Amino acid sequence: MEIKKPIKQSLPKQISIQIEKAIKDGIFKVGKKIPSEPELVKNFEVSRNTIREAIQSLIQAGVLESRQGNGTYVLTNDRFEANILNRLSTSKISEVHEVRVSLEKEIVKLAALRRTPEDLINIKKALDEKNSIKATLLENSKADFA
């Protein structure tokens, strides 16, 4: 067993971790405003500067967004998602397409390897239903999705 020395974390780091956990747990929802600084100061029992530093680190990471005079809003569920969204927003459409093709091939391969007999029955049922529909675009889209 390898023994590791405990890591001391700053208060702002601890607070930012807790805010991220609250986002992942659905306490703070994507697109919604987080509590105000005074509320967070009261809840965490730390100084306003500590809260500001924690929030600023999450803003820099792309998890939160500060809207002047309106509050701070949740943009994503975590730093990984924020990084992916940031990368996608600066990527060429051809790069996104290349990644999608690669991922989709792997997804199909894994789905085929892991499918159950029940999955095959459900896929056949959905395919038969899709092939029998000759109605509206909406109905065809729903059948394609199924």
Side-chain angles (χ1 to χ4, degrees):
M1 174 173 86
E2 184 180 338
I3 298 175
K4 294 182 180 178
K5 185 178 177 182
I7 300 170
K8 295 179 185 177
Q9 289 183 328
S10 68
L11 278 176
K13 178 69 175 171
Q14 291 177 52
I15 301 298
S16 66
I17 288 169
Q18 288 188 54
I19 291 172
E20 279 187 280
K21 185 172 177 354
I23 293 167
K24 285 179 187 169
D25 292 346
I27 296 166
F28 301 153
K29 299 193 183 311
V30 174
K32 301 294 183 184
K33 192 182 331 185
I34 67 169
S36 66
E37 278 184 10
E39 289 176 74
L40 292 172
V41 166
K42 183 179 175 187
N43 291 338
F44 287 110
E45 297 179 2
V46 295
S47 73
R48 193 174 197 138
N49 284 339
T50 300
I51 295 297
R52 283 185 180 159
E53 195 174 328
I55 289 173
Q56 193 58 42
S57 74
L58 292 171
I59 290 170
Q60 292 299 317
V63 176
L64 299 177
E65 175 185 52
S66 178
R67 299 180 189 166
Q68 192 65 34
N70 195 6
T72 304
Y73 289 79
V74 179
L75 290 180
T76 63
N77 283 318
D78 58 26
R79 291 172 192 258
F80 177 75
E81 184 178 338
N83 287 331
I84 293 293
L85 291 173
N86 183 46
R87 180 67 175 112
L88 283 173
S89 69
T90 60
S91 297
K92 296 177 190 170
I93 194 76
S94 60
E95 293 171 331
V96 174
H97 179 69
E98 286 174 358
V99 172
R100 274 195 68 182
V101 168
S102 298
L103 286 173
E104 287 172 2
K105 284 180 184 177
E106 189 64 21
I107 289 167
V108 169
K109 180 176 138 185
L110 290 172
L113 290 171
R114 296 175 181 169
R115 59 101 174 125
T116 64
E118 184 180 316
D119 291 333
L120 287 177
I121 292 167
N122 291 334
I123 290 169
K124 172 88 170 93
K125 181 181 170 187
L127 183 60
D128 289 344
E129 187 175 318
K130 181 201 174 308
N131 290 335
S132 70
I133 292 177
K134 305 276 189 263
T136 67
L137 180 63
L138 179 62
E139 289 173 317
N140 282 317
S141 296
K142 286 181 182 177
D144 279 341
F145 184 75

